[in-house]
Amino acid sequence: WNILLSFSGLVALIQLLFLPFFPESPPYLLLQKGDKAGCLKAMKELWGEGNYHTEFDDMMKEKAVTKGTKIMNVLEVLKERSVYPQLSTMLLLLLSLQLCGLKIFQTANLQESIIPYVSLGVAISELTSIIFCSSIIDRFGRRILLWGGYLLMALILVLLETSLLLSDQFLWMRYCSVILIFLFIIAYGIGP
């Protein structure tokens, strides 16, 4: 687990270093920000020199179609009955993932009797992060959330590795590991 967690932290660090050099997504620039010039510039940066009028026209048509559509917040989506089947499927999937077992809690030397409750806490953390991210993504944009999420994940992984190494010496470090896992899941859900 230590090597596995460190590897994902290394990947997050590499992405964190290179993310500022990438342009924003052309659809995001055009549809969300209304920046036509920025959209065309991003297309050229991402796809190279060429004629992208067809793709640009398609995005303009999409913008025209969605212009009258209201962007719903989380509470409005939860009140919309037509999305209940999809929401129930997502919730069922999130909860069933917790039944797979989380070996890291055994590595942290937690008692077997409390691992199911910790797994439930992981599911609640995932659900919290999904709801929180969907309510702030329009305000901050994807780039800031990705950048901040990877930065938080890297920091949390360093702290988690430290707490796992010290869990045999200090009993209270086991609970710090659990809290750090919850925070890692929330940072992942809000960012990447």
Side-chain angles (χ1 to χ4, degrees), residues 123-174:
I124 292 169
S125 298
E126 290 173 348
L127 188 61
T128 303
S129 67
I130 290 168
I131 291 170
F132 186 68
C133 179
S134 61
S135 63
I136 65 170
I137 195 165
D138 290 331
R139 184 174 301 148
F140 295 105
R142 292 183 184 130
R143 176 177 278 183
I144 291 174
L145 291 182
L146 280 171
W147 198 65
Y150 279 127
L151 189 61
L152 277 173
M153 288 168 54
L155 175 66
I156 292 169
L157 284 175
V158 168
L159 294 173
L160 180 60
E161 180 68 26
T162 305
S163 70
L164 287 174
L165 290 173
L166 296 175
S167 65
D168 290 332
Q169 295 170 347
F170 305 101
L171 293 178
W172 57 271
M173 282 300 234
R174 298 173 183 176

Side-chain angles (χ1 to χ4, degrees), residues 5-180:
L5 287 173
S6 300
F7 179 74
S8 62
L10 178 65
V11 172
L13 181 64
I14 291 169
Q15 290 179 350
L16 180 65
L17 292 175
F18 287 104
L19 188 63
F21 301 107
F22 290 106
E24 285 284 358
S25 160
Y28 171 76
L29 288 171
L30 183 65
L31 301 175
Q32 299 293 325
K33 298 259 182 167
D35 184 5
K36 293 179 184 178
C39 174
L40 289 170
K41 181 181 174 191
M43 284 177 163
K44 287 181 182 176
E45 285 182 44
L46 291 170
W47 302 333
E49 291 297 325
N51 187 0
Y52 302 112
H53 291 294
T54 306
E55 291 85 356
F56 186 78
D57 290 340
D58 288 343
M59 283 190 267
M60 288 301 288
K61 288 176 188 172
E62 182 181 347
K63 185 176 182 176
V65 167
T66 60
K67 188 173 186 172
T69 306
K70 182 185 176 221
I71 297 175
M72 298 181 355
N73 63 28
V74 177
L75 291 176
E76 291 170 337
V77 170
L78 291 175
K79 291 178 183 176
E80 181 65 39
R81 292 178 97 38
S82 64
V83 297
Y84 281 179
Q86 293 89 346
L87 286 174
S88 345
T89 303
M90 278 182 24
L91 187 60
L92 183 64
L93 180 64
L94 284 172
L95 292 175
S96 65
L97 283 174
Q98 305 317 308
L99 299 176
C100 297
L102 299 169
K103 183 76 175 164
I104 195 162
F105 297 129
Q106 292 172 340
T107 305
N109 295 325
L110 293 175
Q111 296 173 355
E112 291 285 331
S113 61
I114 66 168
I115 289 178
Y117 299 108
V118 174
S119 295
L120 180 63
V122 168
I124 292 169
S125 298
E126 290 173 348
L127 188 61
T128 303
S129 67
I130 290 168
I131 291 170
F132 186 68
C133 179
S134 61
S135 63
I136 65 170
I137 195 165
D138 290 331
R139 184 174 301 148
F140 295 105
R142 292 183 184 130
R143 176 177 278 183
I144 291 174
L145 291 182
L146 280 171
W147 198 65
Y150 279 127
L151 189 61
L152 277 173
M153 288 168 54
L155 175 66
I156 292 169
L157 284 175
V158 168
L159 294 173
L160 180 60
E161 180 68 26
T162 305
S163 70
L164 287 174
L165 290 173
L166 296 175
S167 65
D168 290 332
Q169 295 170 347
F170 305 101
L171 293 178
W172 57 271
M173 282 300 234
R174 298 173 183 176
Y175 301 104
C176 287
S177 299
V178 172
I179 292 168
L180 288 168

